[in-house]
Each structure stands twice: as structure tokens, then as C-alpha cells.
Amino acid sequence: MSFIIDKQSLEDLNLTGKYKRNSIYSLFNQVKTVGGERLLEQIFNHPLSDPDEINRRSAVFHYFQQQQLAFPFDKEKIEKAEKYLHEGNDAGYIGSAIGLLKHKLSHAVFHSPEYEQLTDGLKATIDLLRKVSDYLKQFKDAENHPLMADIGKLKQIFRDQRLTDLLKESAELSFFKLSRYHYLLSKTLKKELELVFKVLYELDVYIAVSDVARLKGMGYARALPASVDCLKASGLSHPALDKAIANSISLNREQNMLFLTGANMAGKSTWMKTIGLSMYLAHLGFPVAAKSLEFSVMEGIFSSINVPDNLNMGYSHFYAEVLRVKDVAQQVSAGKNLLVLFDELFKGTNVKDAYDATLAVSQAFANYTNCLFVISTHIIEVGEELRERCANIQFRYLPTIMEGSVPKYTYLLKEGITSDRQGMMIIENENILEIIGR
């Protein structure tokens, strides 16, 4: 079972994007190596669906967070070594030696750079292997280390007498030894060295992500089987925001829908994004910005927060919203366990249609108790009607406190439905009517 999250939801929650401002991926992308970045991206784009696998990965990150380990390897040497080994060597020993000799002669006569690049790569690889060998010595007993299986394999590799002899060599090597060790590393031990790099990249990712978690005081979620159908978090906040206000949430089969109200700027959209991105991170086994979080594994996340119109297709904003709700309805009605986030349903149409549509759609979705829903709206009358019709909906709001004619926001959830309406007051505070009347 693969986890479903589409482009719209990724955009809404600002999850991916190496260079996107405040994206969640860029928050964790503090790795030191190119290979580590490749691994991080691979992990980040593939949420897990097995609770045991999620909890195992969380435990690994938690281990590194507690150990406060630094990545002890030089980035430049790793890149040189990786490039050297990726160039490959398909020849036998004699052919490999002849090829190396040709490069040496070409360098001497024509000053071609290939020989120098190759020997630099070889020397960087040897230096790196010395560092790895020293690093492994600290693990007298690797049983408690989360990467113990691979560390045990690495220890076995470094017991190879040929590698042991190589690491004892001085910095200056004769051409004969260069040729011999070039063949050893690029051909004979190629698969073994691939494991070395695999472990280096894993260390890079685990240390980088756990460093972010420690810096931001993040914790780890506990994954539960899909049949539990729940999301329970306390002290949950947005990890990319400094001094973010934390709130709690509890959804389950008996109360599977959260109906959220509040004035503009009160924090509804941010809270919905916090819920969605936290569930995504939880399915990765990544740290989450929460005191505690437990969740049943879901089959996907769908959101409708910033749905754009489509000029190429001739879709209005309202029609784009309708199509988005239709997409989600098809997924929900197919029996999938989903987290669904709808921010301001049908805001692209008139108030009467928006009221009728929000009420009908919310009530219909609430019947799918295997899914969890968070729906926000400005139309508080919808909430009052849903309170009468549905017992499985909980109502929360984000309050506004007036200081004279200036609204202030606490960003702290309260139980109930708010009647706050400050839109006209904000317009007046900005002197818009005075500007127009000049």
C-alpha cells in the first residue's frame, strides 16, 4: 500500500522544494553530502504505511538525537571518492594498469588532467577509508546501535588484509602500488565500498535530521495500526515558525471531524497546515513539533487550502474548488483511510450557495468514519446546523481579542463556534473608505 498525496496537497502544506522558502524539506535538508541529500529526498518523498516500520525509523532518529553525534567525515573527500568510484573500472588487472599508465604518459606529455584527477580520487578514497576505519573503532559492541547490521558488515570489510595493508601505506605511493590499489578499490572491492558509502549517507541523514529535531525541541510520533482510526496530539505546532503557538487535537471514529471557525488572520489555515504536515512527517518517521503525537497509519492526505483557478482550462475559482472536492469525494467513497483538510469550502461563490454546499458536503463526509476531516469556514451558521445534525463533529474556534478597534489573535484553540466578524473593522482601520472618498 503506497501513501497518496498529490501535487495540490504538497503545495498547500509547503512540504517539498529544496529552494522553497520555509518548505518542510528545506528545514530538514542540513546534510553534508550529495549522497546524503539524494537519500534524504528519497526518504522524504515516500511516506511509510507500516506502523512497525515507521516506529523503527523514529527510534533511529531518536537515538541519534540523544547521542548528539557530529558527522565526522570531510565533504570534499567524500565527493572526490564517490566521483572516483563512479567512473568505474571494467578492465582486468593488466588492462587497468595499462590504462593508468596511458593516463600518466598523457599527463607527462600533454598535461592532460585525467591522471591527476584519478590519483587525487584514489588518494581521497584512501584517506576517507582511514577515517571510516578509525570511526568504526569506537563501536566495540555495535549491538545497541540502530545501524548495527551494516556496521557489523563494515567491520568485516575492514578486516580484509588487502584493505588493512592499504591503510598502512604512506601518503606517497609508487606507480606499482597506485596501480595495484586502483584495481583493488575500483574493481575488486567495489561492492564493499558501495556499502561504505551507503552507511555514510545514512549517518549523514540521521545526524542532520536529528540535529534539527534537537535544535527545535521536536519529538516523535507513535504509529498505530490503520484500524484504530485516530489522531491525537498535544502541544502541536508548525515546525517552520519561530515561537509558534501550540495546540492539541484528538480525532477518532466517534469524532472524526473537526469544524473550525475564526476570523481572518486568526490562524485557521496555519493550524490546518500544521495538522497536515505533521501527519506527513509522522508517516516518514521524522521528528514532529509536538509534546506527544499518536496516529493510525493513513492511506493519504488530501487538502484544499490554496486552490487556484485555471485560466487555460477556463475554470473559475469556484469550479476549481468543486472539482477539488469531487476528487477527494472519489477517494473517500472508494474506502480509503484519509486525512482531509478543507479550508474555507466554496469561498468562490455567493454566500447562500456556499452555505448550502458547505453544509451538505460536510455532513456527507462526516459519515465516513474511517477518515479524519478538518473543515474551516467563515459561515458560522453552517456549524450551528451541523451541531444539530451530527454527533460525530467537534467544534473549535480561534478567538479574536479586541483592544479598542484593533483585533489581536491568541492562536489558541477554544471549544465552540465563534461569531467573530472583524472584516469591516479591518477595512475601516486601513482608512480605505477615506481614501476612496477623497
Side-chain angles (χ1 to χ4, degrees):
M1 179 180 69
S2 60
F3 191 91
I4 308 166
I5 183 164
D6 63 0
K7 182 179 178 181
Q8 176 66 50
S9 302
L10 291 171
E11 291 285 339
D12 281 345
L13 305 177
N14 199 20
L15 282 165
T16 55
K18 179 179 177 179
Y19 302 107
K20 283 179 64 178
R21 184 173 179 271
N22 288 333
S23 77
I24 303 304
Y25 173 79
S26 66
L27 174 71
F28 288 105
N29 185 19
Q30 308 301 319
V31 293
K32 308 295 185 185
T33 66
V34 174
E37 188 172 67
R38 286 196 303 267
L39 178 59
L40 176 66
E41 189 170 357
Q42 178 187 349
I43 292 172
F44 201 87
N45 289 326
H46 296 89
L48 304 172
S49 54
D50 178 79
D52 293 333
E53 192 176 354
I54 291 170
N55 291 331
R56 278 195 296 270
R57 183 183 284 171
S58 291
V60 176
F61 282 122
H62 191 213
Y63 173 89
F64 279 93
Q65 185 173 341
Q66 290 179 317
Q67 296 298 313
Q68 301 188 34
L69 301 175
F71 188 68
F73 305 104
D74 183 81
K75 174 184 177 181
E76 186 177 348
K77 278 192 172 63
I78 290 176
E79 290 178 357
K80 277 188 177 181
E82 185 181 39
K83 183 180 179 183
Y84 163 72
L85 293 170
H86 278 176
E87 288 174 354
N89 184 7
D90 295 327
Y93 176 68
I94 300 298
S96 175
I98 292 172
L100 189 62
L101 180 60
K102 286 180 178 179
H103 284 310
K104 182 178 176 64
L105 293 173
S106 180
H107 176 68
V109 177
F110 302 109
H111 304 289
S112 59
E114 287 83 359
Y115 180 74
E116 202 168 66
Q117 291 171 355
L118 191 149
T119 53
D120 281 351
L122 175 58
K123 290 175 182 177
T125 304
I126 294 171
D127 287 345
L128 177 63
L129 291 174
R130 285 196 183 101
K131 284 279 189 181
V132 174
S133 178
D134 291 340
Y135 181 74
L136 291 174
K137 290 174 184 176
Q138 68 181 287
F139 301 108
K140 294 180 180 178
D141 183 0
E143 288 184 6
N144 294 324
H145 197 284
L147 303 180
M148 60 182 179
D150 283 341
I151 286 175
K153 291 176 185 176
L154 288 188
K155 285 187 170 185
Q156 187 63 39
I157 289 171
F158 279 86
R159 291 190 188 103
D160 189 305
Q161 190 61 48
R162 294 166 297 179
L163 201 52
T164 302
D165 292 341
L166 167 61
L167 300 185
K168 291 178 181 176
E169 291 286 356
S170 62
E172 295 301 321
L173 297 173
S174 66
F175 177 79
F176 171 75
K177 286 187 175 180
L178 275 174
S179 177
R180 175 185 166 195
Y181 292 136
H182 171 56
Y183 184 74
L184 175 68
L185 296 179
S186 63
K187 182 73 172 181
T188 308
L189 296 179
K190 186 175 182 180
K191 286 189 176 180
E192 287 81 353
L193 294 187
E194 286 175 355
L195 177 62
V196 172
F197 279 93
K198 173 181 177 290
V199 174
L200 289 181
Y201 298 149
E202 287 177 348
L203 285 171
D204 192 8
V205 169
Y206 286 128
I207 290 171
V209 172
S210 64
D211 279 350
V212 173
R214 186 170 54 255
L215 180 66
K216 288 188 165 287
M218 302 172 79
Y220 294 89
R222 183 167 72 98
L224 304 171
S227 58
V228 178
D229 293 317
C230 80
L231 164 59
K232 185 177 182 181
S234 66
L236 183 66
S237 63
H238 197 297
L241 298 179
D242 293 331
K243 299 179 181 178
I245 302 299
N247 283 290
S248 298
I249 184 172
S250 181
L251 297 172
N252 50 51
R253 276 188 172 271
E254 287 69 40
Q255 285 199 312
N256 66 313
M257 180 176 287
L258 171 63
F259 195 82
L260 184 64
T261 53
N264 279 327
M265 300 167 61
K268 299 190 302 299
S269 298
T270 299
W271 177 233
M272 297 181 80
K273 291 175 184 179
T274 299
I275 296 167
L277 69 87
S278 299
M279 277 290 271
Y280 186 87
L281 291 175
H283 280 80
L284 296 174
F286 267 45
V288 292
K291 290 182 179 178
S292 67
L293 192 157
E294 62 179 21
F295 68 102
S296 56
V297 292
M298 312 293 287
E299 292 178 82
I301 298 173
F302 281 89
S303 67
S304 179
I305 297 175
N306 298 309
V307 178
D309 56 12
N310 191 321
L311 298 179
N312 292 329
M313 297 293 292
Y315 295 165
S316 67
H317 182 78
F318 173 66
Y319 191 57
E321 287 183 298
V322 170
L323 291 180
R324 183 61 178 166
V325 174
K326 179 182 177 182
D327 288 342
V328 176
Q330 288 171 335
Q331 296 288 340
V332 169
S333 63
K336 290 183 171 60
N337 294 3
L338 303 173
L339 171 65
V340 178
L341 309 166
F342 284 136
D343 187 22
E344 299 292 343
L345 272 172
F346 308 116
K347 53 184 172 284
T349 189
N350 64 78
V351 175
K352 177 63 170 67
D353 281 342
Y355 169 87
D356 292 339
T358 301
L359 177 60
V361 167
S362 299
Q363 184 175 355
F365 274 133
N367 292 325
Y368 289 87
T369 56
N370 61 307
C371 294
L372 306 177
F373 300 89
V374 181
I375 296 178
S376 77
T377 185
H378 280 302
I379 309 172
I380 59 176
E381 293 81 5
V382 174
E384 301 293 351
E385 188 64 28
L386 286 172
R387 181 180 274 166
E388 298 298 321
R389 298 187 185 188
C390 302
N392 60 325
I393 301 179
Q394 55 183 272
F395 300 88
R396 301 288 185 272
Y397 71 94
L398 287 158
T400 305
I401 298 173
M402 299 304 302
E403 296 182 357
S405 61
V406 179
K408 300 291 183 181
Y409 309 102
T410 68
Y411 308 115
L412 290 170
L413 282 173
K414 289 192 174 183
E415 187 172 349
I417 301 171
T418 183
S419 58
D420 291 339
R421 287 190 172 103
Q422 280 86 38
M424 194 61 197
M425 185 177 295
I426 293 171
I427 290 171
E428 291 173 351
N429 287 345
E430 295 300 321
N431 298 319
I432 292 174
L433 298 180
E434 292 182 15
I435 293 171
I436 295 172
R438 286 175 182 171

